[in-house]
Amino acid sequence: MASVEHRDPATMAGPGGLIHQVELVIGGMTCASCAARVEKKLNRLDGVTASVNYATEKARVRYGDGITPEDLMATVAHTGYTAELPADARPDGVELGALRERLVACAPLTIGVVAMAIAMALRVRWPNNLGMLSLMLTAPVVLWGASPFHRAAWRNLRHGTATMDTLISMGVLVAFGWSCYAWCARIASYVQTYGTTFSIDKIDASNWDYDGGPKFYFEVAAVVTVFLLAGRYFEARSKRRAGAALRAILNLGASDVAVLRDGQEVRVAVDRLVVGDEFVVRPGEKIATDGEVVEGSSAVDESMLTGESVPIEVNPGSAVVGGTVNASGRLRVRVLRMGEQTRLAQIARLVTDAQSGKAAVQRLADRVSAVFVPIVIALAVVTLGVWLIIGAAVGTAVSAAVAVLIIACPCALGLATPTALLVGTGKGAQLGIFIKGPQVLESTRRVDTVLLDKTGTITTGSMSLVDVIPAATQDADEVLRRAAAVEDASEHPVATAIAAGGRQRLGELPAVTGFRSAQGLGVQGDVSGAVVLVGRPSWLAEQWSVTLPEPLVSAAEQAQRHGRTVVAVAWEGQVRGLLSVADTVKPSSAEAVHLLRGLGLNPVLLTGDNETVARSVATEVGIDTVVAGMLPEDKVEEVRRLQQAGRVVAMVGDGVNDAAALAQADLGLAMGTGTDAAIEASDLTVIRGDLRLVADAIRLSRRTLRTVKGNLFWAFGYNVVALPLAATGLLNPIIAGAAMVFSSLFVVSNSLRLRRFRALTPSA
């Protein structure tokens, strides 16, 4: 017990004493009703508040001093499931690997069974007993391959419930059991005809394999098992991604750091840092943890946190955040926060909270199966009894009862969602769209508001040269040529943008000598016999007594109102021109906003940038509503505020700062050019950075949802019509099996129509 309590991650004071919190990994859940059952059992314990998430297969539990983690795990075990602490849980891939092994092993056996069923249907003569071969191939598929369904059905039975697994298990076992009975009946017929001495020469195939007794349905049992194993495998693979958002965020941090010990730099693992330690960060390195700059000046790229591409200048006394990147100078930083107290860990908790509050949508088949399964079983029993009461032969009664169970076999139900999802996601992959699971589809239908991040979503996410403004009598190309030559020697992101712009417009740049840099302020160098100064206007005025002429002052103010960074260029004691650098709007963004409006969505610009820049970008792309100055937690709160106001919210973003909002939103859409954390926290990902693909993603998702609902309607409607026919003896088992196969083919064919989906985005 002591070891378990030691690993308990959270303890806090409550009104009735200490309140502990623990996260448990729940195993054995196969549908949302399983999660509800576990949650109900845990919440019945005194002083326990539990929330169980089926999608992540985890339970977050708060409990008082009278309860131990062992009590919680025992309660879950008594409910019929497993519970473990995260450190003891099996690797994520174990369940997925087991399903894949079953699928790979059972598929070839099933192909053989189907081939023999076709041979018997075509009355192909065979030198041996096809029934025996079918039995030998089907038995491992039904008894081993379908064992996950059988175990879940038995667990549900012991607790007085029925789910999709109950229907699957019954359908498979009844088809297999009836086929075994049919085979035994044929053996008895053979013995009665030929005696106990077996001889292949005596076998009349027309009497033995085709017309000599009840029909076989081995292929029904095998095919149902393989189809549903495939569906369960793809579902498990989708669920495995649930924790990847948190892993992606935590992996953003540095793994080791150069810490100062007695004046010497020592490389140690980040988790060995303590508050008060000082460490060194060189250009290009990640800052190990939250701290305060003690020595040095630099530009720090905080785009992973704020989403904004313009680096932040830091000096002694400035606060820095773990996971951000030092772009230029050498820094010495004092540790202020470690572990769970860092900003990165806080964002990870935001994602966790948002995911825990967003339960997976329970499939229609699971919701109905709790009523459908008992009805089918009762109808089969009633059918058997009625036929016997009216004096029918036992074979006739059993045949009708078996027809009822076979006609209700859930093959079409099992295929309805996976086939549409597979075809829809396959088409999406061709267009650069990734749909993560069936629970996403329902959200796309109801969304009415779309929140758009600015940097990397509407804009390119990187600095570029926007304009060159020469002073009177100056040549713009000459101003750019000299400025770009000097900036080419600097590592600062603004300098990089100017140098790249100059090289793109003018080609090769002249040589520079005597280069010097004033950290975060500007640079100087000799170009073509003149000392060229490039930097902030205030630096030129204070350090070099070079001021902007009045026309350039107005031009600088106007550029800054549009959210651009202004750099002055001077030589020979005069300012020769201005360069403006900015994160530019993508060419497709305005059209994308128009397409989103056409889908009935209200676009809102949500950004961490200032109001002036945000308004300028919104005006350019046609967005009316702007919410600026948003930190990651503010974005989550804005999503919640809209949800509480009755809006169904989609969030589009690409940065770590968007990850929590993407998880909280009813529908999260990530740009594939963004961070792994944003992609993993989202429901939909558009692979390219073209915002127009977001509109296509929503259209494709809505089309896929309509296909899923059409498939489910057919699957249930087919059962509703066919069950009475089977019960009245109008459908014998072989016709019932054929009808079941037809329903499956219809579902697959209907799903394949998604391949004809056409994108609105020209680049797709």
Side-chain angles (χ1 to χ4, degrees), residues 289-295 315-320 332-336:
T289 189
D290 295 1
E292 180 184 23
V293 176
V294 176
E295 180 182 287
N315 300 287
S318 301
V320 290
R332 182 156 60 94
V333 180
R334 180 185 298 114
V335 177
L336 295 182

Side-chain angles (χ1 to χ4, degrees), residues 505-525:
R505 295 190 190 186
L506 306 174
E508 289 297 320
L509 301 176
V512 177
T513 59
F515 174 82
R516 294 180 61 188
S517 172
Q519 194 67 251
L521 298 174
V523 295
Q524 67 181 86

Side-chain angles (χ1 to χ4, degrees), residues 35-56:
R37 193 175 308 126
V38 173
E39 186 174 297
K40 183 178 180 181
K41 288 287 186 180
L42 287 172
N43 284 323
R44 283 181 178 176
L45 298 174
D46 290 337
V48 171
T49 303
S51 174
V52 180
N53 191 316
Y54 168 61
T56 60

